[in-house]
Amino acid sequence: MNNADIKVLFGTTAPQVYPQQPFADVTVDFFDAWSKAIRQDKQAKLYPDIIAFAFWIRKANLEKMKGKNGILHTRIGRGMVFHIAPSNVAINFAYTFAFGLLTGNANIVRVSSKHFLQTEIVCRILKEVVVRDSFHWVEERNGIVQYGRKQEEWSQKFSGICNMRIIWGGDRTVQEIRKYPLMPRSNEITFADRYSFAILSAEAVLDLPAQEKRRLAEGFYNDTYLMDQNACSSPHLVCWLGQETAVQKAKDLFWEAVYEVSKKYDLANMKVSEKYTLVCEYAAKSKVSAIKNYENYLYVAELKDLPKDISDMRGKYGLFFEYAIHGIPEVLKRVTAKVQTCAVFGIREGEVAEMLLEYPAQGIDRIVPIGRTLDMDIVWDGHDLIRELSRCISYGK
Amino acid sequence: MAFADFLEVSPYILGKEQKQRMLLNRFQELTEIHRKNCEEYSKILTAWNILDSFSSIYEVPFLPVRLFKELELKSIKDEEIFKTMTSSGTTGQAVSKIYLDRATSVNQQKALVKIVSAFTGKGRLPMLIIDSPSVVKDRAMFSARGAGILGFSILASDRKYALDENMQLDLDRVKEFLEKHKGKRFLLFGFTFMIWQYFYKELRKIPKCIDLSGGILIHGGGWKKLTNEAVEPQEFKGCLKEVCGLEDIHDYYGMVEQTGAIYMQCECGHLHASIFSDVIVRNMKDFSTCSVGEPGVIQVLSTIPESYPGHSILTEDEGILLGEDDCPCGRKGKYFKVLGRIKNAEVRGCSDTYE
C-alpha cells in the first residue's frame, strides 16, 4: 500500500471512530453551516446539483427528516462507514457522505478517479467551514479520498476496518468490491443496477392547461434525458391508464411536449447511432409493433405486450416504450425485484403503494411524481439508511 | 432490374438522372427481396411504417451498421450460405456477421473487378500483397482483411506476399517479384495501417533499396490507427514516394458489410461512388439529407447484397459530399470525403460507474 496512490481531498485516511446519535445537534449544526457556506459560494452557485444538495442539508430539512423518523434516541451510529461513490453522478458522493455522518458515523468516502469540478468545489467549501467554524471533529472522523480502480489495496484496507460498507455503481462494481472481506459483524448496503418506469393517467394529462403540460414534460425530461436515461431511477416504459380514445390523445399531447423540451438535449451523433440501432433491434425481435419518432430526439416504441419482466425494455438517450393498461395491477404483475422507481402522474402515490403492499410484488421501492425521480433521499432503493447505518440499544422492560 | 444490368455499364459514366433511375429500380427490388426473405428486416420496416414503393433512393430505409453485430441477418436459408464474412473487430468487441450465398459472393467479385479495372486498365496485373499469407489461411471465417486480400487477388495474374508469417518484410521475395515483372505495370494492395507499420517503416531504414515507381498501390481499411500516429493522407503518400518511388496511390473506402462496391479515390483525391453504389450524407438530428459541403454521417447503398439485407446501411463514419458528376477527374457520380469515425459520447447516469 502506497500513500502516493491515494489523494486525500478532505480529512484523514485513519478516521477516529466516535459514534453519535443520528441527527445529533452538533452534527445538524455542522451541516447547516456547510449548507450556508455552499449557498453563499459564487462558484457553487453555478451548479444546480450542488445547490440542491445544500438545500437538502440545511437545518430546516434535517429537522423535518428527524421529526418524520420517530424515536431515534435509542439509536447510535455503527462506527465507521466505507463508501464507494459512483463515478457518473458527481454530487452523489456528498449525499452518501451526509447519510453516514448524519447517522452518527465516521466515514471514508472513496470518490471516482474521474475529475469533477463539483467534487472539488464541495470539498473546498467543506474544508473552509471546518476551519472557519472550528468543526475540527469533522476532519478527524472523516476522509474523502480518491484512488484508482486498480489500487485495490485501499479498498481492501477500508473494507477490513469498516463497520458498514456502502457500494454505489452497479452490478459489476458490487461484484468487484465484494472480493474484499468485511469484519464478521460488519454489513453492507449495495446499490446495484435498477430499472424504473412510469404510469400516467391519460385523463389527467388531457386536463392540463398548456403551461402545466410544459412543466410535466420538463419534469419528464429531467428524469430521463438529464442523465442520458441511464440513471437507475430514469423511466424507460410509460404505462398509460385510461379509456382508449383518451389514451390516444394524451399520448400525442405528452410526447409532443416532451419533444419540444428535448430539443435542448445534446444529441451527439453516436447517441443517435446507438439509439437507432437499439430500437431496430427491439423491432427485429418482435418486441414493438410501431415506432414513432420526433426527429431523432425522441423515439417512442409501442409494445405488443407487456413482457413478463418489464425491466427487459430498456431505452437510452430518449427511447421510450409505451403500453396502455386497464388497471395498475396489470403492470404490477410484471414487476420484478429489479424495478426501483415508479414515477406517476395523475395517480395518487399512496394508491400504488397500497396496491403494492397488498399485492406481493418484489419490486418498486419508491413511488414519486414525474419530475422527482432523481431526488436523493435518506430512504433510497428500499433502504432506510437512518436505521441501517445505526444500531439500536434495547434496555429495560 | 437485375444486378447483371449494372455490369453492362461502365462504372463511372452515367450522369445523375440515369443513374438514379437505375438505382431506384434496383433498391426497390432489393428492399422487396429482403422484406420477403428476412423476418427481422421485415419487422423493422413494419415498425417504422415503411411503405412498399419509393419515389427516390433517398427514401430507401437504412439499417444501422451495428445491427449486423447484434443480429444474424440473412435473406437465405442456412443451407444456402456459401461463406460468412466478419469484420475485423479487436478482441472482445462484437463483430459483424455477413452471410453470402454463391450469387452474392460472385457479384461482389464482379463489381470489384469492374471498379478497380477502371483505374488499372483491363487485364490482370501481377500483384504484390503488403500483408502476411497467414491472414487468409482460415477460409471458413473470413475476416475483413482476409476477404479484402482474396477479393483483390482475382485481379492478379501472379501474386506474392511482401510480409512473412510473422509480419516481417521479406525483401528478397519483393526483389524477386520486381525482377520477374521488370518493365511491366504491377499492382500493390494492402491495408493502410499495415503498409505504414510493416512496409514503410522497414523501407525507411534502407531507402531506395527497391523501385516501385511502376506500381499502382490500392489501399483501404481506414485511417483511425494512423491518425493516432498523427499520419495524414498527404504525408502517407509523400513518404512512400520518398522511400520507394511509388506515386500512383489510391485509397479506397469500403466495409465488410458491403464488400465489392468499394469507393475508389481518384487522382484528385476524391472518393467516388460507382454505378454499383451510392452515398447519402445524413444529418443525425433528423436523418435529413446534407447538401454538398455539409458534414454528416454516411449512408452507403450497394446494388449487390441479395443474401443479407445490407443494401442500404447507415455507417458510423462521418463524411462530406463534395459534388456529383463534376469531379475534375472526369468520372461521373457522387464524390465525397470521409472525415473519420463518429466520436464516442460521454455518457451520464449511474449504471455501473466505478472508476
Side-chain angles (χ1 to χ4, degrees):
Chain A
M1 203 152 19
N2 190 344
N3 280 322
D5 295 337
I6 192 165
K7 196 172 157 194
V8 182
L9 304 180
F10 171 77
T12 169
T13 55
Q16 281 173 23
V17 177
Y18 189 86
Q20 292 202 306
Q21 282 187 257
F23 296 91
D25 289 346
V26 29
T27 316
V28 172
D29 286 345
F30 155 71
F31 274 110
D32 199 46
W34 190 18
S35 170
K36 280 189 186 122
I38 294 175
R39 282 179 284 151
Q40 282 160 9
D41 191 90
K42 273 196 191 124
Q43 207 185 0
K45 277 182 188 160
L46 301 174
Y47 294 86
D49 50 346
I50 298 183
I51 296 304
F53 172 70
F55 270 91
W56 192 81
I57 58 169
R58 77 193 190 284
K59 194 167 190 165
N61 192 46
L62 298 183
E63 294 291 354
K64 204 173 88 193
M65 234 185 279
K66 185 180 178 181
K68 264 205 319 211
N69 272 286
I71 307 154
L72 290 172
H73 66 263
T74 55
R75 303 196 79 94
I76 188 162
R78 286 182 178 270
M80 204 274 272
V81 183
F82 173 40
H83 312 246
I84 299 278
S87 68
N88 281 17
V89 186
I91 199 66
N92 274 13
F93 87 95
Y95 282 97
T96 194
F97 172 56
F99 298 159
L101 190 52
L102 269 174
T103 47
N105 294 286
N107 299 277
I108 287 283
V109 181
R110 185 269 181 194
V111 300
S112 167
S113 47
K114 250 162 88 176
H115 179 79
F116 284 117
L117 270 173
Q118 284 102 316
T119 312
E120 215 171 82
I121 296 165
V122 170
C123 288
R124 170 180 57 76
I125 302 171
L126 177 58
K127 276 190 223 166
E128 287 165 8
V129 171
V130 163
V131 173
R132 193 191 65 196
D133 298 346
S134 296
F135 287 111
H136 294 294
W137 62 270
V138 178
E139 56 182 359
E140 285 158 9
R141 297 178 202 164
N142 297 284
I144 297 175
V145 299
Q146 206 171 26
Y147 53 84
R149 187 177 182 149
K150 293 269 150 61
Q151 261 89 57
E152 302 181 358
E153 322 87 66
W154 287 103
S155 288
Q156 190 169 1
K157 182 194 158 165
F158 297 134
S159 293
I161 59 170
C162 71
N163 304 94
M164 199 72 190
R165 183 167 64 187
I166 304 183
I167 309 171
W168 300 83
D171 294 0
R172 224 157 31 97
T173 309
V174 171
Q175 293 307 334
E176 208 163 304
I177 302 295
R178 277 214 172 133
K179 288 188 302 211
Y180 315 123
L182 297 168
M183 292 190 292
R185 290 202 65 251
S186 299
N187 250 321
E188 72 179 349
I189 299 170
T190 56
F191 295 103
D193 296 337
R194 303 300 302 272
Y195 177 89
S196 297
F197 75 107
I199 308 176
L200 276 75
S201 151
E203 309 283 351
V205 169
L206 293 178
D207 285 348
L208 282 179
Q211 193 57 36
E212 294 294 309
K213 228 165 267 160
R214 167 97 192 173
R215 190 171 300 167
L216 174 66
E218 286 274 3
F220 189 78
Y221 177 91
N222 291 342
D223 286 342
T224 53
Y225 287 87
L226 207 58
M227 286 290 162
D228 289 325
Q229 206 184 337
N230 206 17
C232 294
S233 51
S234 297
H236 296 273
L237 164 71
V238 171
C239 295
W240 290 99
L241 193 61
Q243 295 300 319
E244 207 183 312
T245 46
V247 165
Q248 202 45 56
K249 267 195 216 157
K251 276 179 183 178
D252 289 345
L253 282 171
F254 177 72
W255 294 122
E256 191 62 46
V258 172
Y259 162 58
E260 283 306 319
V261 179
S262 74
K263 285 177 183 169
K264 66 180 170 189
Y265 182 57
D266 167 34
L267 191 67
N269 286 353
M270 187 51 99
K271 291 181 185 172
V272 176
S273 185
E274 284 184 28
K275 177 158 110 173
Y276 183 58
T277 304
L278 190 61
V279 77
C280 287
E281 208 183 323
Y282 277 110
K285 289 178 177 166
S286 315
K287 309 272 190 195
V288 303
S289 49
I291 304 162
K292 211 170 164 197
N293 70 302
Y294 296 79
E295 297 188 330
N296 283 329
Y297 285 98
L298 169 64
Y299 290 172
V300 184
E302 200 177 298
L303 290 183
K304 278 191 182 146
D305 313 285
L306 270 186
K308 272 208 183 73
D309 176 357
I310 55 168
S311 72
D312 288 343
M313 311 313 295
R314 203 170 252 285
K316 48 163 86 161
Y317 314 131
L319 160 60
F320 302 97
F321 300 94
E322 68 177 349
Y323 189 75
I325 53 173
H326 300 99
I328 296 170
E330 196 180 334
V331 61
L332 296 188
K333 274 187 229 167
R334 307 299 170 94
V335 161
T336 58
K338 200 155 177 100
V339 180
Q340 182 204 56
T341 301
C342 170
V344 292
F345 181 75
I347 294 156
R348 213 166 43 80
E349 290 138 64
E351 194 183 335
V352 182
E354 281 153 26
M355 282 183 198
L356 266 180
L357 292 168
E358 193 129 327
Y359 194 92
Q362 256 198 302
I364 306 188
D365 298 319
R366 59 199 283 262
I367 302 139
V368 295
I370 295 248
R372 309 302 294 271
T373 65
L374 289 172
D375 291 5
M376 261 300 208
D377 210 351
I378 202 153
V379 176
W380 187 259
D381 234 23
H383 294 282
D384 177 347
L385 293 172
I386 298 178
R387 282 173 173 76
E388 293 184 44
L389 295 178
S390 62
R391 66 196 169 87
C392 183
I393 300 168
S394 57
Y395 58 92
K397 286 208 171 155
Chain B
M1 181 162 292
F3 178 75
D5 298 332
F6 289 83
L7 292 167
E8 302 302 315
V9 188
S10 173
Y12 300 102
I13 202 161
L14 289 193
K16 187 172 168 177
E17 268 172 44
Q18 268 179 298
K19 181 176 172 182
Q20 295 298 312
R21 212 176 311 132
M22 265 183 96
L23 288 182
L24 177 61
N25 197 308
R26 175 67 176 163
F27 290 129
Q28 185 86 55
E29 176 186 77
L30 283 174
T31 306
E32 277 163 34
I33 288 176
H34 298 307
R35 195 168 205 163
K36 215 171 96 193
N37 299 304
C38 177
E39 205 186 324
E40 291 89 349
Y41 184 74
S42 158
K43 283 177 183 161
I44 293 169
L45 264 50
T46 306
W48 281 106
N49 197 21
I50 305 282
L51 303 175
D52 280 326
S53 94
F54 316 121
S55 59
S56 92
I57 65 157
Y58 293 88
E59 293 173 11
V60 177
F62 41 84
L63 293 186
V65 67
R66 253 191 231 203
L67 210 59
F68 293 91
K69 294 186 172 142
E70 307 295 338
L71 304 172
E72 296 182 354
L73 299 168
K74 48 181 179 278
S75 305
I76 47 173
K77 296 190 193 84
D78 284 352
E79 56 268 29
E80 291 170 305
I81 298 172
F82 171 61
K83 60 182 174 185
T84 307
M85 302 207 297
T86 60
S87 59
S88 50
T90 41
T91 348
Q93 269 185 331
V95 292
S96 288
K97 293 168 294 285
I98 303 299
Y99 300 91
L100 302 180
D101 62 0
R102 204 167 276 275
T104 297
S105 175
V106 167
N107 289 343
Q108 288 181 343
Q109 297 210 324
K110 286 182 177 166
L112 186 70
V113 170
K114 291 274 290 184
I115 292 169
V116 177
S117 305
F119 286 81
T120 61
K122 281 216 169 65
R124 298 176 177 207
L125 298 175
M127 180 162 87
L128 187 63
I129 300 158
I130 320 289
D131 213 319
S132 156
S134 60
V135 181
V136 294
K137 282 276 158 67
D138 180 13
R139 294 223 174 186
M141 286 290 272
F142 284 84
S143 72
R145 234 167 95 202
I149 291 168
L150 284 172
F152 274 84
S153 292
I154 58 157
L155 295 155
S157 55
D158 175 25
R159 36 174 205 275
K160 286 281 174 293
Y161 287 87
L163 309 181
D164 68 13
E165 302 287 331
N166 304 313
M167 299 299 286
Q168 298 291 319
L169 175 62
D170 187 341
L171 206 52
D172 290 339
R173 205 188 304 160
V174 174
K175 282 180 176 164
E176 197 182 300
F177 173 90
L178 292 174
E179 189 57 38
K180 187 174 166 192
H181 303 292
K182 211 172 184 173
K184 278 187 260 177
R185 259 163 77 81
F186 59 93
L187 264 177
L188 294 110
F189 172 77
F191 288 86
T192 314
F193 180 71
M194 302 296 157
I195 294 169
W196 183 258
Q197 192 69 15
Y198 302 103
F199 191 66
Y200 165 72
K201 282 189 177 172
E202 286 304 307
L203 289 180
R204 193 170 58 179
K205 295 176 189 162
I206 27 171
K208 309 245 161 62
C209 67
I210 47 170
D211 176 18
L212 300 179
S213 56
I216 312 168
L217 171 66
I218 297 174
H219 67 99
W223 290 88
K224 204 173 139 199
K225 280 187 176 164
L226 282 189
T227 313
N228 292 343
E229 294 207 0
V231 180
E232 294 295 322
Q234 266 319 317
E235 189 186 352
F236 180 84
K237 283 189 175 182
C239 288
L240 279 172
K241 187 183 173 186
E242 203 182 306
V243 296
C244 60
L246 196 53
E247 273 186 280
D248 199 353
I249 300 176
H250 301 269
D251 189 4
Y252 75 87
Y253 175 64
M255 59 204 72
V256 71
E257 291 83 0
Q258 286 192 350
T259 301
I262 61 168
Y263 300 85
M264 286 283 285
Q265 185 187 42
C266 71
E267 300 75 14
C268 308
H270 304 146
L271 295 167
H272 279 261
S274 71
I275 184 66
F276 301 107
S277 65
D278 213 355
V279 288
I280 296 170
V281 178
R282 296 208 177 258
N283 183 334
M284 291 298 261
K285 295 277 173 253
D286 54 4
F287 288 150
S288 60
T289 311
C290 293
S291 38
V292 170
E294 187 190 343
V297 172
I298 300 171
Q299 175 196 348
V300 287
L301 294 122
S302 166
T303 55
I304 303 169
E306 288 178 5
S307 60
Y308 65 99
H311 58 301
S312 173
I313 294 175
L314 185 69
T315 70
E316 290 193 337
D317 296 318
E318 286 171 5
I320 298 179
L321 185 65
L322 298 172
E324 185 166 13
D325 294 344
D326 57 1
C327 179
C329 79
R331 290 179 185 82
K332 291 280 169 50
K334 285 185 193 154
Y335 56 101
F336 63 105
K337 186 175 152 184
V338 177
L339 299 171
R341 299 297 298 271
I342 300 179
K343 276 193 291 294
N344 269 326
E346 179 80 22
V347 179
R348 288 166 288 189
C350 69
S351 46
D352 230 325
T353 55
Y354 172 51
E355 269 177 52

